[in-house]
């Protein structure tokens, strides 16, 4: 009986099952928290200063679809790294669409950080506002970075602004006196920033008037409704 011959090595290799390619690992999606667990503002004074500054800007750009005004919103500037974050008190970005509303601000998706940022600062945030945030906003090419110290904890005067120069570095924005008030002009907004007590008001030089705060806007609306009601009464239309 003939003996079986061993299969040549090259034929054995041909009959061996092909090796499976290594399975690709899909990275787990990164969740970007919406809160850092810290209070929004240092004190009620700082909170009111922030709100009374942010809302006039929201009203001013309400009908501009390529603008976004944010307040106390977490920014993430490095995709995939939830630790690379910061929360400006107020910021304005031109270019990104206003809608939909964001829960967080992802710089790589928006295509920009912001054109304007304000920190309502205090002694406890001084180091971070003067150091880390100033360096970060400069690196992220935030055109203007402002600080307002409503209680005069450490800034004298209590308003400070920086603007990027042609080399991409921050330079001080000069302040002056207008109508007896300290004033700094924002080229980004086309508005003057004027400290008034614990508030930082926005003045429109083109119209020669301040942008109304939320309480002023509500009072103006109430007065308008009262005038309409009185006119209806006089015309006998209030029955």
């Amino acid at each position: 009986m003939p003996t079986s011959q061993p299969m040549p090595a090259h034929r054995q290799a041909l009959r061996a099952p092909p090796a499976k390619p290594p399975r690709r690992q899909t990275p787990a999606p990164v969740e970007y928290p919406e809160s850092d667990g810290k209070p929004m503002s240092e004190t009620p004074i700082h909170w009111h200063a922030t709100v009374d500054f942010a809302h006039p800007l929201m009203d001013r750009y309400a009908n501009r679809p390529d603008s976004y005004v944010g307040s106390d919103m977490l920014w993430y500037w490095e995709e995939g790294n939830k630790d690379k974050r910061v929360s400006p008190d107020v910021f304005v970005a031109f270019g990104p669409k206003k809608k939909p509303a964001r829960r967080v601000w992802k710089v790589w998706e928006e295509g920009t950080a912001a054109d304007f940022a304000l920190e309502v600062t205090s002694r406890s945030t001084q180091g971070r506002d003067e150091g880390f945030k100033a360096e970060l906003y400069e690196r992220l090419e935030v055109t203007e970075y402002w600080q307002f110290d409503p209680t005069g904890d450490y800034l004298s005067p209590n308003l400070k602004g920086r603007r990027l120069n042609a080399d991409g570095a921050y330079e001080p924005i000069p302040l002056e006196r207008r109508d007896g008030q300290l004033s700094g002009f924002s080229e980004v907004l086309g508005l003057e920033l004027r400290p008034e007590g614990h508030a930082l008001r926005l003045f429109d030089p083109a119209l020669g008037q301040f942008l109304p705060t939320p309480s002023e806007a509500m009072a103006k609306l109430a007065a308008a409704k009262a005038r309409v009601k009185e006119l209806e009464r006089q015309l006998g239309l209030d029955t």
Side-chain angles (χ1 to χ4, degrees):
M1 177 179 295
T3 58
S4 59
Q5 298 295 321
M7 184 179 294
H10 70 278
R11 292 187 63 187
Q12 292 183 26
L14 289 175
R15 293 183 60 181
K20 292 182 179 180
R23 179 177 296 178
R24 297 184 63 181
Q25 297 294 326
T26 303
V30 177
E31 293 186 8
Y32 300 94
E34 300 164 21
S35 172
D36 56 7
K38 299 177 182 178
M40 176 180 172
S41 299
E42 185 76 11
T43 67
I45 291 174
H46 292 77
W47 182 84
H48 282 291
T50 301
V51 171
D52 286 346
F53 189 88
H55 278 269
L57 290 174
M58 292 176 183
D59 292 340
R60 180 177 177 83
Y61 299 115
N63 297 320
R64 180 169 171 172
D66 65 335
S67 66
Y68 197 93
V69 180
S71 179
D72 196 41
M73 176 187 289
L74 283 175
W75 282 5
Y76 292 91
W77 69 87
E78 185 178 298
E79 185 174 7
N81 192 339
K82 62 183 179 181
D83 295 324
K84 299 294 186 180
R85 66 191 186 190
V86 70
S87 180
D89 288 326
V90 183
F91 72 93
V92 183
F94 297 116
K97 294 181 179 179
K98 184 183 301 296
K99 296 181 179 180
R102 282 74 153 174
R103 304 176 76 93
V104 297
W105 190 260
K106 301 174 184 176
V107 173
W108 62 92
E109 290 184 358
E110 305 295 347
T112 185
D115 297 282
F116 174 99
L118 169 74
E119 297 294 346
V120 180
T121 191
S122 66
R123 184 176 289 110
S124 65
T125 64
Q126 173 184 359
R128 186 170 172 83
D129 293 342
E130 290 285 342
F132 169 75
K133 288 188 176 180
E135 294 172 3
L136 177 66
Y137 294 161
E138 182 181 73
R139 179 157 58 87
L140 294 178
E141 298 181 341
V142 178
T143 306
E144 289 183 356
Y145 170 41
W146 292 81
Q147 292 164 263
F148 173 57
D149 183 359
T151 54
D153 280 349
Y154 75 95
L155 278 182
S156 182
N158 63 345
L159 179 65
K160 181 177 181 178
R162 301 171 171 91
R163 184 181 294 122
L164 291 178
N165 61 20
D167 296 323
Y170 276 143
E171 290 183 346
I173 297 175
L175 304 178
E176 54 187 71
R177 291 277 172 182
R178 290 184 180 273
D179 304 323
Q181 290 180 288
L182 184 68
S183 176
F185 184 71
S186 168
E187 293 181 355
V188 169
L189 304 178
L191 300 170
E192 294 177 17
L193 280 64
R194 295 187 181 184
E196 189 176 276
H198 290 154
L200 181 61
R201 301 297 306 270
L202 288 159
F203 183 83
D204 188 343
L207 299 178
Q209 63 187 30
F210 287 96
L211 272 60
T213 64
S215 59
E216 290 171 344
M218 290 178 64
K220 186 176 181 180
L221 179 60
K225 288 181 177 179
R227 288 194 298 269
V228 171
K229 190 173 182 65
E230 174 62 19
L231 182 60
E232 289 175 344
R233 186 192 66 79
Q234 294 175 4
L235 296 175
L237 301 175
D238 59 343
T239 57

